Amino acid sequence: MKEERRNFMKKASIATIVGAVGPTLLIKKSYAAKKETVIGHGSYKYKVIEGWGELDAGKNPVNDCHEMVEDAKGRLIMLTNETKNNVLIYDKSGKLLESWGTTYPGAHGLTISDEGGEQFLFITDTNRNQVIKTDLKGREVMKLDYPRETGKYDFPNQFIPTETAIHPANGDIYVVDGYGRNHVMQYNAKGELIRHFGGAGDTDDTFNCCHGILVDSRDKANPTLMITDRGHMQYKRFTLDGKHIKTIPMPGSFVCRPVNKGENIYAAVYRSTTQEYPNSGYITILDKNDKVISTPGGTAPEYKDGKLQEQRKDRSFMGFMHPHDVCVDSDENLYVPQWASKKTYPVKLERV
């Protein structure tokens, strides 16, 4: 009886509105815009922009959308291991501006550098076992092959580089071999090996998948290396010459690579709690004190006695599968390319 009364009152209210203001206003009121999806925590919350960057898959297909950077013109450059167009270049509205690249079957890592006002890309290819430097039109200008001179590699296919980082002052190139033997190589700007460190292991100065790397220049007087130890769910901070400084636990979060914007570090978490939990990724944001302050798509960060508690996917938001990178644009919006995401295009999150 109560349910019948509620239905009756609802219909009566509608009839009253129609009689008072006419059907046009009623339709406008009834068919309001779809409710916005907002994710994140604290002052770092984001609106999910539906359909951003979706293209004609017949003309511009993607496979794994691995990484994304913004160039000096505000264009968004995305890397996929689909060899019909390894590089897709968007404007911020999601319009495709250009595409290139057909020879990078293992396209994985993408870093942009500035050399005297000219920008270059560094692509790590896990199939070619190389790092390739190109200009923004795709012309190859340098290749780094497996680092035989370290004495750690007998064959090229033992070297499976996942990411690079470029020192903004001197152009030194840091390469992490996250899918290979877990060494970190430092080269000068000419591609000459300076040193190597790391390797596979469970100690502070070794790794279980050193998947990503950043030259962290937030402290301009004392820049450091921030390296993901993805299998151990940690960041590790090193000096520029490879000495371990600090380990930053990220319980629950298999972080891919650190990205700096302003005072914060952003990263994609491709899976959470266990490697066997598919479609469980999210984004994590750290402040200048290496404290998690927001986890878009994941549970809220919680600290007890100064220790971050285990985080996991927020099941109320299923818009992420396996985030692989975060691009933070000049407006502090986020773009999230994903691995193993059924060949979908990046997700845009608009800062609110």
Side-chain angles (χ1 to χ4, degrees):
M1 292 295 293
K2 289 182 179 179
E3 183 63 27
E4 290 176 358
R5 178 175 174 79
R6 276 196 293 268
N7 291 335
F8 173 81
M9 292 301 293
K10 183 177 179 182
K11 291 176 182 177
S13 297
I14 292 173
T16 300
I17 294 172
V18 172
V21 298
T24 302
L25 182 59
L26 173 67
I27 291 172
K28 185 176 180 181
K29 191 176 184 71
S30 300
Y31 294 93
K34 187 168 68 173
K35 182 180 179 181
E36 294 179 347
T37 300
V38 176
I39 58 177
H41 307 95
S43 59
Y44 289 86
K45 294 181 179 178
Y46 302 86
K47 179 174 67 175
V48 180
I49 306 301
E50 300 288 346
W52 184 91
E54 292 181 1
L55 305 173
D56 182 344
K59 295 179 180 179
N60 296 106
V62 294
N63 191 21
D64 298 308
C65 294
H66 272 133
E67 295 196 342
M68 202 167 188
V69 296
E70 182 181 15
D71 72 5
K73 296 179 180 179
R75 305 183 309 164
L76 302 166
I77 304 173
M78 195 206 72
L79 186 70
T80 173
N81 52 9
E82 169 55 68
T83 54
K84 288 186 179 180
N85 44 211
N86 287 123
V87 173
L88 299 176
I89 303 179
Y90 292 94
D91 68 13
K92 290 180 182 177
S93 74
K95 177 184 176 182
L96 181 67
L97 301 176
E98 61 181 284
S99 63
W100 51 263
T102 60
T103 60
Y104 307 110
H108 185 277
L110 184 67
T111 302
I112 193 164
S113 69
D114 185 283
E115 299 178 17
E118 184 176 4
Q119 292 190 300
F120 295 90
L121 301 173
F122 287 79
I123 297 170
T124 63
D125 192 302
T126 56
N127 286 29
R128 287 175 49 169
N129 310 103
Q130 287 180 323
V131 177
I132 305 98
K133 178 182 179 181
T134 77
D135 64 16
L136 297 192
K137 291 293 184 180
R139 182 177 65 91
E140 295 184 357
V141 297
M142 180 192 293
K143 295 177 186 176
L144 298 177
D145 291 306
Y146 82 106
R148 184 176 183 178
E149 58 268 50
T150 64
K152 302 294 185 181
Y153 299 85
D154 300 316
F155 308 103
N157 61 8
Q158 293 174 330
F159 176 58
I160 312 176
T162 48
E163 191 56 78
T164 59
I166 314 302
H167 193 299
N170 60 22
D172 280 1
I173 306 162
Y174 292 88
V175 181
V176 285
D177 181 24
Y179 291 165
R181 297 201 157 183
N182 279 274
H183 293 286
V184 182
M185 271 61 64
Q186 179 186 0
Y187 300 85
N188 63 22
K190 297 179 180 179
E192 299 166 336
L193 185 69
I194 297 172
R195 64 173 56 86
H196 69 280
F197 59 93
D202 299 320
T203 60
D204 282 339
D205 56 358
T206 57
F207 305 95
N208 177 6
C209 188
C210 51
H211 188 275
I213 186 169
L214 168 73
V215 177
D216 186 355
S217 301
R218 288 176 294 176
D219 181 351
K220 298 190 185 322
N222 186 33
T224 58
L225 299 174
M226 194 169 186
I227 304 173
T228 50
D229 188 352
R230 192 167 78 174
H232 289 135
M233 296 186 285
Q234 297 171 337
Y235 290 111
K236 289 180 176 177
R237 195 177 294 283
F238 287 78
T239 63
L240 296 180
D241 58 358
K243 304 295 189 301
H244 178 265
I245 300 171
K246 179 183 180 183
T247 295
I248 305 164
M250 296 289 292
S253 299
F254 293 98
V255 283
C256 288
R257 78 150 163 177
V259 175
N260 172 229
K261 186 70 173 181
E263 292 189 340
N264 300 326
I265 297 292
Y266 300 75
V269 173
Y270 96 110
R271 280 182 176 168
S272 60
T273 64
T274 171
Q275 297 271 25
E276 307 306 316
Y277 183 9
N279 302 320
S280 61
Y282 45 78
I283 305 303
T284 182
I285 306 172
L286 279 69
D287 67 11
K288 61 183 179 181
N289 299 312
D290 297 330
K291 182 177 180 180
V292 179
I293 53 175
S294 182
T295 312
T299 54
E302 179 183 0
Y303 283 80
K304 291 183 179 179
D305 299 323
K307 294 182 179 180
L308 178 64
Q309 302 303 293
E310 183 182 71
Q311 294 194 264
R312 60 183 62 239
K313 184 180 184 68
D314 179 355
R315 302 294 295 181
S316 68
F317 176 70
M318 300 303 294
F320 291 144
M321 286 177 272
H322 300 103
H324 194 270
D325 191 28
V326 183
C327 175
V328 190
D329 73 13
S330 54
D331 299 315
E332 297 191 11
N333 301 316
L334 310 184
Y335 304 83
V336 184
Q338 301 191 81
W339 166 80
S341 63
K342 300 181 181 180
K343 301 187 178 184
T344 55
Y345 297 91
V347 178
K348 180 177 180 178
L349 305 179
E350 186 178 278
R351 181 85 182 267
V352 296

